[in-house]
Amino acid sequence: MRIGLDVMGGDFAPKAAVLGAIETFKTLPADQHLVLIGDSNQVKEICAEVGFDVKNFELVHTDDVIGMGEHPTKAIVKKPNSSITVGFGLLKEGKIDTFSSAGNTGAMLVGAMFSVKAIPGVIRPCMPTIVPKLHGGVGVILDVGANADCKPDVLLQFGVLGKLLAENIYEVDNPKIGLLNIGEEEEKGNLLSLATYPLMKDTELFNFIGNVEGRDLFNDKADVIVCDGFTGNIVLKLAESFYVLTRKKGMKDEFFDRFNYEQYGGSPILGVNAPVVIGHGISSPKAIKHMLLLSRDLITSGLIDKIKQAFK
């Protein structure tokens, strides 16, 4: 297995990425290899600083970087030797089995769609995130930013993608799928949720339990919560703030500690033909490690093949 990492992506790159890769290496078996894509000279310097043998990594040198504020499509085209563009080239050619980056989210989404492309039958790939549950375990919410505007049939597919993720990565049996709304009643909601509800109610693709409200994010009512990317991204950013707020208030609580983004590492792009994971721009070495381990789990679980089967 060859796990690809863009070491130039993120606010603290390349140091955070390289240090995270070093920590990941210590946990991997001999048949799982890390491929670091970026400025190999900087990678060697960082490894030398901490006394780590850089030969434990496979290095792919690139001279260019796509900045966090650059236009995704233009950057992918104009910077063919950037770490993100080269990484997707390697993924498309099968030279790496998975690719992850804490860099420009838009460039990662565009790169995935241009290179490995969407799985046939998937209308719009999406990004999920994990929310901690009050009584233990985690839930999935999707989409959290890849698709600001959605149609009902797209949300229906998100339910399928969320179900497969919950089953295969987080080991939830027959996950309960809920539609995020402003009330539990079937007749509540905006035009999108009103049109989506009957599709989910009538489907046999997953276990639909009806509408769920914002208060249900952290209880056990639903294992997977479906929404459009605009709503999901607002929910995600709000949830991420809980950990920061408790720290600022001097509170130490096990439940709120689980809102620390570092524990989850990143979000996979569900619905494309290869495992791709996007990390937080402020990713620390710990977050990079968990992003890489999630990338590995996407391969070992066979999730991509299971999504392909579901959409045949």
Short mmCIF file of all heavy atoms in Angstrom, two decimals, residues 265-296:
data_model
loop_
_atom_site.label_atom_id
_atom_site.label_comp_id
_atom_site.label_asym_id
_atom_site.label_seq_id
_atom_site.Cartn_x
_atom_site.Cartn_y
_atom_site.Cartn_z
N GLY A 265 -8.61 14.32 11.80
CA GLY A 265 -7.64 14.46 10.72
C GLY A 265 -8.13 15.10 9.45
O GLY A 265 -7.53 16.04 8.96
N GLY A 266 -9.22 14.63 8.91
CA GLY A 266 -9.67 15.17 7.65
C GLY A 266 -10.98 14.58 7.21
O GLY A 266 -11.56 13.73 7.87
N SER A 267 -11.45 15.04 6.05
CA SER A 267 -12.70 14.56 5.48
C SER A 267 -12.44 13.91 4.13
O SER A 267 -11.78 14.51 3.27
CB SER A 267 -13.67 15.74 5.26
OG SER A 267 -13.99 16.36 6.49
N PRO A 268 -12.94 12.69 3.92
CA PRO A 268 -12.78 12.07 2.60
C PRO A 268 -13.73 12.72 1.59
O PRO A 268 -14.76 13.28 1.97
CB PRO A 268 -13.17 10.61 2.86
CG PRO A 268 -14.10 10.67 4.03
CD PRO A 268 -13.65 11.83 4.88
N ILE A 269 -13.35 12.67 0.33
CA ILE A 269 -14.28 13.06 -0.74
C ILE A 269 -15.01 11.78 -1.15
O ILE A 269 -14.42 10.90 -1.78
CB ILE A 269 -13.55 13.68 -1.94
CG1 ILE A 269 -12.71 14.89 -1.51
CG2 ILE A 269 -14.55 14.10 -3.01
CD1 ILE A 269 -11.91 15.51 -2.63
N LEU A 270 -16.26 11.67 -0.77
CA LEU A 270 -17.03 10.47 -1.07
C LEU A 270 -17.65 10.56 -2.46
O LEU A 270 -18.26 11.58 -2.80
CB LEU A 270 -18.14 10.27 -0.04
CG LEU A 270 -17.73 9.94 1.39
CD1 LEU A 270 -18.97 9.75 2.26
CD2 LEU A 270 -16.84 8.72 1.45
N GLY A 271 -17.48 9.50 -3.24
CA GLY A 271 -18.10 9.46 -4.56
C GLY A 271 -17.12 9.57 -5.71
O GLY A 271 -17.54 9.64 -6.86
N VAL A 272 -15.80 9.60 -5.42
CA VAL A 272 -14.81 9.59 -6.50
C VAL A 272 -14.13 8.22 -6.53
O VAL A 272 -14.23 7.43 -5.59
CB VAL A 272 -13.78 10.73 -6.35
CG1 VAL A 272 -14.44 12.08 -6.53
CG2 VAL A 272 -13.05 10.65 -5.01
N ASN A 273 -13.40 7.96 -7.61
CA ASN A 273 -12.91 6.61 -7.89
C ASN A 273 -11.66 6.19 -7.13
O ASN A 273 -11.12 5.11 -7.39
CB ASN A 273 -12.63 6.47 -9.40
CG ASN A 273 -13.90 6.23 -10.20
OD1 ASN A 273 -14.54 5.19 -10.06
ND2 ASN A 273 -14.29 7.19 -11.02
N ALA A 274 -11.18 7.00 -6.21
CA ALA A 274 -10.01 6.64 -5.40
C ALA A 274 -10.11 7.38 -4.07
O ALA A 274 -10.79 8.42 -3.97
CB ALA A 274 -8.72 7.01 -6.13
N PRO A 275 -9.45 6.88 -3.04
CA PRO A 275 -9.52 7.55 -1.73
C PRO A 275 -8.76 8.88 -1.74
O PRO A 275 -7.56 8.93 -2.01
CB PRO A 275 -8.84 6.55 -0.79
CG PRO A 275 -8.85 5.24 -1.50
CD PRO A 275 -8.75 5.59 -2.96
N VAL A 276 -9.49 9.96 -1.45
CA VAL A 276 -8.91 11.30 -1.35
C VAL A 276 -9.39 11.92 -0.04
O VAL A 276 -10.58 11.87 0.27
CB VAL A 276 -9.35 12.20 -2.53
CG1 VAL A 276 -8.79 13.60 -2.38
CG2 VAL A 276 -8.91 11.59 -3.86
N VAL A 277 -8.45 12.48 0.73
CA VAL A 277 -8.81 13.06 2.03
C VAL A 277 -8.30 14.50 2.10
O VAL A 277 -7.15 14.78 1.74
CB VAL A 277 -8.23 12.25 3.20
CG1 VAL A 277 -8.63 12.87 4.54
CG2 VAL A 277 -8.72 10.80 3.14
N ILE A 278 -9.16 15.40 2.56
CA ILE A 278 -8.82 16.81 2.72
C ILE A 278 -8.70 17.13 4.20
O ILE A 278 -9.64 16.89 4.97
CB ILE A 278 -9.87 17.72 2.07
CG1 ILE A 278 -10.01 17.40 0.58
CG2 ILE A 278 -9.51 19.18 2.27
CD1 ILE A 278 -11.12 18.18 -0.11
N GLY A 279 -7.56 17.66 4.60
CA GLY A 279 -7.34 18.02 5.99
C GLY A 279 -7.63 19.48 6.26
O GLY A 279 -7.79 20.29 5.33
N HIS A 280 -7.68 19.84 7.52
CA HIS A 280 -7.90 21.22 7.94
C HIS A 280 -6.67 22.05 7.61
O HIS A 280 -5.54 21.60 7.76
CB HIS A 280 -8.15 21.25 9.45
CG HIS A 280 -8.98 22.40 9.90
ND1 HIS A 280 -8.61 23.72 9.71
CD2 HIS A 280 -10.18 22.46 10.54
CE1 HIS A 280 -9.53 24.52 10.21
NE2 HIS A 280 -10.50 23.78 10.72
N GLY A 281 -6.88 23.29 7.17
CA GLY A 281 -5.75 24.15 6.82
C GLY A 281 -4.78 24.39 7.96
O GLY A 281 -3.59 24.60 7.73
N ILE A 282 -5.27 24.35 9.20
CA ILE A 282 -4.41 24.59 10.36
C ILE A 282 -3.88 23.29 10.95
O ILE A 282 -3.49 23.24 12.11
CB ILE A 282 -5.14 25.40 11.44
CG1 ILE A 282 -6.40 24.67 11.91
CG2 ILE A 282 -5.47 26.80 10.95
CD1 ILE A 282 -7.05 25.31 13.14
N SER A 283 -3.85 22.24 10.13
CA SER A 283 -3.48 20.92 10.63
C SER A 283 -2.12 20.90 11.32
O SER A 283 -1.12 21.39 10.79
CB SER A 283 -3.48 19.90 9.49
OG SER A 283 -4.79 19.58 9.09
N SER A 284 -2.10 20.30 12.50
CA SER A 284 -0.89 20.05 13.27
C SER A 284 -0.34 18.68 12.88
O SER A 284 -0.99 17.92 12.16
CB SER A 284 -1.23 20.06 14.76
OG SER A 284 -2.12 18.97 15.03
N PRO A 285 0.85 18.32 13.36
CA PRO A 285 1.34 16.96 13.09
C PRO A 285 0.37 15.87 13.53
O PRO A 285 0.20 14.86 12.84
CB PRO A 285 2.64 16.92 13.90
CG PRO A 285 3.13 18.34 13.91
CD PRO A 285 1.88 19.16 14.01
N LYS A 286 -0.29 16.06 14.67
CA LYS A 286 -1.27 15.07 15.15
C LYS A 286 -2.42 14.93 14.16
O LYS A 286 -2.87 13.81 13.86
CB LYS A 286 -1.80 15.49 16.52
CG LYS A 286 -2.82 14.53 17.12
CD LYS A 286 -3.28 15.01 18.49
CE LYS A 286 -4.33 14.07 19.08
NZ LYS A 286 -4.80 14.54 20.41
N ALA A 287 -2.90 16.06 13.64
CA ALA A 287 -4.00 16.02 12.67
C ALA A 287 -3.55 15.34 11.37
O ALA A 287 -4.31 14.57 10.77
CB ALA A 287 -4.50 17.43 12.38
N ILE A 288 -2.33 15.63 10.94
CA ILE A 288 -1.79 14.99 9.73
C ILE A 288 -1.72 13.47 9.92
O ILE A 288 -2.08 12.70 9.02
CB ILE A 288 -0.39 15.55 9.39
CG1 ILE A 288 -0.46 17.04 9.03
CG2 ILE A 288 0.25 14.74 8.26
CD1 ILE A 288 -1.18 17.36 7.74
N LYS A 289 -1.29 13.05 11.08
CA LYS A 289 -1.21 11.61 11.37
C LYS A 289 -2.59 10.97 11.23
O LYS A 289 -2.74 9.93 10.57
CB LYS A 289 -0.66 11.39 12.78
CG LYS A 289 -0.68 9.93 13.21
CD LYS A 289 -0.22 9.77 14.66
CE LYS A 289 -0.34 8.32 15.12
NZ LYS A 289 0.06 8.16 16.53
N HIS A 290 -3.60 11.57 11.83
CA HIS A 290 -4.94 10.99 11.76
C HIS A 290 -5.52 11.07 10.35
O HIS A 290 -6.31 10.20 9.95
CB HIS A 290 -5.85 11.67 12.78
CG HIS A 290 -5.58 11.24 14.19
ND1 HIS A 290 -5.25 12.11 15.19
CD2 HIS A 290 -5.54 10.00 14.76
CE1 HIS A 290 -5.06 11.45 16.31
NE2 HIS A 290 -5.20 10.17 16.07
N MET A 291 -5.12 12.09 9.58
CA MET A 291 -5.55 12.17 8.18
C MET A 291 -4.97 11.00 7.39
O MET A 291 -5.66 10.36 6.58
CB MET A 291 -5.11 13.50 7.58
CG MET A 291 -5.49 13.67 6.11
SD MET A 291 -5.15 15.34 5.48
CE MET A 291 -3.35 15.33 5.46
N LEU A 292 -3.71 10.70 7.62
CA LEU A 292 -3.06 9.60 6.92
C LEU A 292 -3.64 8.24 7.33
O LEU A 292 -3.82 7.35 6.49
CB LEU A 292 -1.56 9.63 7.18
CG LEU A 292 -0.80 10.80 6.52
CD1 LEU A 292 0.62 10.89 7.06
CD2 LEU A 292 -0.80 10.64 5.00
N LEU A 293 -3.95 8.09 8.61
CA LEU A 293 -4.53 6.83 9.07
C LEU A 293 -5.94 6.64 8.51
O LEU A 293 -6.34 5.51 8.19
CB LEU A 293 -4.54 6.78 10.60
CG LEU A 293 -3.16 6.71 11.26
CD1 LEU A 293 -3.28 6.75 12.78
CD2 LEU A 293 -2.41 5.45 10.81
N LEU A 294 -6.70 7.74 8.38
CA LEU A 294 -8.01 7.65 7.73
C LEU A 294 -7.84 7.24 6.28
O LEU A 294 -8.59 6.40 5.77
CB LEU A 294 -8.73 8.99 7.83
CG LEU A 294 -10.05 9.11 7.06
CD1 LEU A 294 -11.07 8.08 7.54
CD2 LEU A 294 -10.64 10.53 7.20
N SER A 295 -6.84 7.81 5.60
CA SER A 295 -6.56 7.43 4.21
C SER A 295 -6.31 5.93 4.11
O SER A 295 -6.82 5.26 3.21
CB SER A 295 -5.34 8.19 3.68
OG SER A 295 -5.55 9.57 3.69
N ARG A 296 -5.50 5.42 5.04
CA ARG A 296 -5.21 3.98 5.06
C ARG A 296 -6.48 3.17 5.27
O ARG A 296 -6.72 2.15 4.60
CB ARG A 296 -4.20 3.73 6.18
CG ARG A 296 -3.67 2.28 6.28
CD ARG A 296 -4.46 1.41 7.23
NE ARG A 296 -4.72 1.99 8.51
CZ ARG A 296 -3.90 1.89 9.56
NH1 ARG A 296 -2.77 1.24 9.46
NH2 ARG A 296 -4.25 2.42 10.72
#
